Amino acid sequence: MPLKAPVLDNRSYQEIRDLVRDRIPRYTPEWTDFNDADPGMTLVQLFAWLTEQTLYQMNRLPDRNYIKFLKLLNMELRPPQPAQADLTFAVQKGAKLRPVLKGSQVAAQSQDSGELVVFETDEGMDLIPYPLTHVQVYDGSSFADVTETNSIRQQNYRPFGWAPQLNSALYLGFEPPEQNPAAGERAFPQQIRLRVFLPASSQAGEAQSCSQQHQRPPAPVRLVWEYRHPEPPNGWRPMTVFKDETAAMTREGYIVLEGPAQLARTYEGKVTDVDRLWLRCRLDRDTYPAGTVPEIDFIRPNTVRATALSTIRSEILGASEGHPDQRFSFRHKPIQQDDLIIRIDRSNREGVEQEYWTRVEDFLASEPDDAHFVLNASAGEIEFGNGVRGRIPVAGSEIIAERYRHGGGDSSNVAADTITLALSTLGGVQSITNERAALGGKDEQDIEEFKSEAPLAIRNRNRAVTADDFIALAKLAGGVSRATALPLRHLDYPDVDVAGAITVVIVPENDELPPLPSADLIRYVCGYLSNYRLITNELFVKGPEFSEISVVARVAADPLLAFGAVELAVKQAIDAQLHPQSRAFGLDLVPTSLFGVVLAVEGVRAVLDLALLVNGLPHDDLTEVVVLPPDGLVYGANHQITVVELEDR
């Protein structure tokens, strides 16, 4: 049987009051008025209330001891996680540009608190000084102008046409300056960045491998990037590709190219009224297999990834008193542990001696002379050793956080087009925006969740071995409400048991139907789980296989009720029964169970007819269960409920 913490005293306020009142005749027989208006009974009630509060605090002792035990194991609440977003910088025509430095700060205003949510760029970027004004697709025989389609979100297009062939190409036309660059000046920076955005729903729920060497192979094609050279014969010349995360335009990601020093102003395709500076991506070899032709939402230049964190430099935390186990707090919290640099300055006759200390998880392996400290990221404090395990900072020395980053939480998941405020100096930038919502932010772990997940964390010891380990760690990653793990399931061989393979199926924390995890969330969970998997594991993460259930029913209701309200209540009851956030993975649906769900709705007297549609197809035999795969879930949608008056015969 499960081990449960005992309740030290479970008496309630009512029981204590009754117990005292029952003893009154025995100890004070002259007291005969037991009504609530009696002053003596008021004192009895006050005593019962105070005693109940005391018992409540006493009963919390087992929880306190449990938490103290977890602290002895160096377990802390999971700190808030920062969101990430892709920022696009629009340049001002003719302005003098400055590079966007790594760590440049931009901000959005939180819709909840009204406070600024600060983001910092993860990389530096040189800006293309010309706006992208024209986008064309050449399918091998003719041009199509997709400029407007590329500028409007959720208006997808195929960058190489519907049936790509050799020399199909995507053309990007930039508006040239009024005057040509002076001698020695480059037309484009040495590196230019482009970001390819796929349709938001195209990769939702799609399985991804957590090992780079086991990723699905990209399409067997070769793409080349080219530019028009101004010198004779004015032909197309290749550009060096430094990075391409898109796998031939089939995935979202960044493309980093060597910017051409000089470009020719030419007319291309359907753009014959104005000359432009053209870059193109051309299909140079082979072709896309059926079903893999790329389709994108839009492509943007001058785009970089940013994280919802703020950097603080040279913050003095305090001065050492030379005591064991000293603690110092930061002004801001929570702290991102990977970006923390602690320096200790000690004055002597020769000046100031600076020493950098190393963060460790605990002092168990620290020697007396080791310059170690332990960070509590959630509380925003550091702790030093006691002289036996870890060195004690010399008395009088200054403890300085040379650099640290803080931030994160659910509030950093800001909506699209909200990160628009520049906090750093950005020369020549006209506007900033995030065309997709920021994702990945999560608040500090709840204490009840922490207590419930502690046994699994103790058992796996930071290693994922069993299916339960992968499930628990997937939930800890953030943004995941439910998960299951399928041992021996390989992405490429779903019908064969593959030793060492495991597929983790996740459901995101959102209210959409069906709740498919985004490609970014799957990629994030992959990276998180990769830190814990064994080296012999092939790990995959995907969304569930959803089946849409539509109920067509005719029900009889009490004639005194509003039939519209009954119809709505029936639909809500069915949706609650089929909701993917509450049903077990792979649990087959028994259609006849829906009769009881509908009849349980207040006012429904009978179910006259009931039919089922599974993924739009009729399910004729209601006695036959709807079989789901192990990673399958159902959800309700498009129900058709007719409510009629109950007729007595």
Side-chain angles (χ1 to χ4, degrees), residues 188-412:
F188 275 64
Q190 292 186 346
Q191 288 190 10
I192 59 178
R193 297 173 61 89
L194 305 171
R195 177 62 157 84
V196 175
F197 293 86
L198 267 59
S201 60
S202 65
Q203 292 182 302
E206 183 179 335
Q208 295 183 24
S209 172
C210 302
S211 306
Q212 188 64 35
Q213 62 269 27
H214 296 129
Q215 288 281 11
R216 283 185 182 272
V221 298
R222 178 187 175 189
L223 303 180
V224 295
W225 283 87
E226 299 171 319
Y227 71 100
R228 282 284 195 185
H229 199 277
E231 297 178 359
N234 292 344
W236 290 97
R237 298 193 181 183
M239 304 167 62
T240 301
V241 180
F242 295 120
K243 180 172 70 172
D244 186 354
E245 300 174 346
T246 67
M249 298 279 186
T250 60
R251 303 174 190 158
E252 281 196 345
Y254 284 92
I255 300 174
V256 181
L257 308 170
E258 180 184 14
Q262 297 179 334
L263 281 85
R265 303 184 183 205
T266 60
Y267 305 93
E268 302 290 342
K270 291 192 172 184
V271 183
T272 57
D273 55 339
V274 290
D275 55 359
R276 288 292 179 260
L277 304 175
W278 291 95
L279 306 178
R280 76 177 184 182
C281 180
R282 180 172 60 86
L283 181 57
D284 183 59
R285 189 178 65 194
D286 299 317
T287 187
Y288 290 92
T292 64
V293 176
E295 185 173 4
I296 67 176
D297 193 354
F298 51 89
I299 186 170
R300 293 289 185 266
N302 296 337
T303 303
V304 68
R305 177 64 60 90
T307 304
L309 294 173
S310 299
T311 299
I312 305 296
R313 301 181 185 275
S314 300
E315 180 178 304
I316 299 177
L317 305 183
S320 172
E321 297 179 351
H323 299 159
D325 304 321
Q326 295 181 97
R327 296 187 179 187
F328 298 89
S329 298
F330 297 84
R331 291 195 185 98
H332 308 277
K333 62 180 181 180
I335 309 299
Q336 291 294 309
Q337 59 184 21
D338 296 333
D339 300 302
L340 175 61
I341 301 176
I342 293 295
R343 189 185 80 229
I344 294 184
D345 291 353
R346 183 176 62 177
S347 300
N348 53 35
R349 294 180 179 179
E350 300 177 357
V352 177
E353 178 184 350
Q354 298 181 343
E355 183 180 16
Y356 291 90
W357 287 48
T358 304
R359 182 183 63 84
V360 294
E361 294 298 327
D362 52 57
F363 295 116
L364 296 178
S366 300
E367 298 295 332
D369 293 330
D370 289 338
H372 291 169
F373 68 89
V374 172
L375 169 69
N376 186 325
S378 299
E381 65 178 18
I382 58 174
E383 180 181 358
F384 293 97
N386 57 11
V388 177
R389 297 193 181 278
R391 193 200 311 175
I392 300 175
V394 175
S397 56
E398 282 192 334
I399 315 300
I400 300 174
E402 185 170 290
R403 179 181 183 271
Y404 71 93
R405 303 177 79 189
H406 68 93
D410 283 340
S411 61
S412 62

Side-chain angles (χ1 to χ4, degrees), residues 30 136 147 170 215 225 237 257 270 274 324 426 457-458 470 503 506 514 522 548 550 594 609 645:
E30 63 275 12
Q136 298 186 94
T147 303
L170 175 67
Q215 288 281 11
W225 283 87
R237 298 193 181 183
L257 308 170
K270 291 192 172 184
V274 290
L426 301 172
I458 294 173
F470 282 100
T503 297
I506 61 173
I522 293 176
E548 180 186 278
S550 300
L594 296 176
D609 295 298
E645 183 178 343

Side-chain angles (χ1 to χ4, degrees), residues 58 143 269 339 371 379 382 392 395 409 415 439 451 473 477 510 521 613 638:
M58 183 176 66
F143 280 87
D339 300 302
I382 58 174
I392 300 175
L439 299 173
K451 291 192 297 183
L473 290 169
N510 62 45
L521 177 60
L613 298 176
N638 302 317

